């Protein structure tokens, strides 16, 4: 499926899955990676968020200070489905890798937008 050169470069040989292990010279440390080789990359065409508008309260209870945004990508069979959450102003809200949005300071701003790693599709939600 995959060949590895002396300097660690991977080269696809045919479609399928393979596991690559790297060991230290002493054999005490090891790292593994799973590699999937596909014939063609199926790009994401659309990303939708679970909410278009969100209201968060800085001084409120836990459930009022934070919410979870979930992303839905289409097509479902896209090769790379990972999403990255980003915030335009980190002083106002923060967002985790899993989409947990927490209020920090009161102000009207745009909330995180999603960027697809393959396809660079964006979707945004507004903080009211």
């Amino acid at each position: 499926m995959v060949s590895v050169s002396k300097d660690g470069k991977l080269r696809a040989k045919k479609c399928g899955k393979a596991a690559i292990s790297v060991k230290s010279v002493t054999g005490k440390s090891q790292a593994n990676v799973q590699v999937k080789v596909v014939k063609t990359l199926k790009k994401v065409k659309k990303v939708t968020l679970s909410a278009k508008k969100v209201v968060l309260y800085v001084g409120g209870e836990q459930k009022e200070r934070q919410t979870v945004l979930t992303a839905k990508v289409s097509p479902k069979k896209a090769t790379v489905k990972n999403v990255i959450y980003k915030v335009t102003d980190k002083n106002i809200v923060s967002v985790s890798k899993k989409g947990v949005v927490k209020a920090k300071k009161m102000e009207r701003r745009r909330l995180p937008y999603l960027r697809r790693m393959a396809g660079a599709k964006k979707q945004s939600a507004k903080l009211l």
Side-chain angles (χ1 to χ4, degrees), residues 20-36:
I20 297 174
S21 297
V22 179
K23 290 184 181 179
S24 66
V25 178
T26 61
K28 291 183 179 181
S29 297
Q30 180 176 330
N32 300 314
V33 65
Q34 295 290 323
V35 179
K36 182 178 180 182

Side-chain angles (χ1 to χ4, degrees), residues 2-71:
V2 178
S3 65
V4 183
S5 68
K6 289 180 182 179
D7 56 348
K9 291 183 182 178
L10 302 179
R11 184 179 193 130
K13 289 187 169 187
K14 63 179 185 175
C15 295
K17 293 180 182 180
I20 297 174
S21 297
V22 179
K23 290 184 181 179
S24 66
V25 178
T26 61
K28 291 183 179 181
S29 297
Q30 180 176 330
N32 300 314
V33 65
Q34 295 290 323
V35 179
K36 182 178 180 182
V37 178
V38 295
K39 192 170 188 174
T40 58
L41 181 69
K42 232 180 212 181
K43 292 186 177 182
V44 171
K45 293 182 180 176
K46 186 177 178 184
V47 178
T48 54
L49 289 173
S50 57
K52 294 244 183 215
K53 294 182 181 183
V54 177
V55 177
L56 299 175
Y57 301 99
V58 177
E61 295 179 20
Q62 180 76 12
K63 63 182 178 182
E64 296 170 333
R65 287 191 314 255
Q66 73 179 33
T67 190
V68 179
L69 289 175
T70 53

Side-chain angles (χ1 to χ4, degrees), residues 63-108:
K63 63 182 178 182
E64 296 170 333
R65 287 191 314 255
Q66 73 179 33
T67 190
V68 179
L69 289 175
T70 53
K72 184 178 177 183
V73 296
S74 63
K76 289 182 180 181
K77 293 185 177 184
T79 307
V80 180
K81 295 180 185 179
N82 300 344
V83 293
I84 299 171
Y85 292 91
K86 290 191 178 183
V87 178
T88 55
D89 191 341
K90 294 178 182 178
N91 296 320
I92 307 300
V93 293
S94 65
V95 64
S96 72
K97 291 178 182 179
K98 294 185 178 184
V100 178
V101 182
K102 294 181 182 179
K104 289 183 171 182
K105 191 169 140 183
M106 222 170 86
E107 197 170 323
R108 275 185 101 126

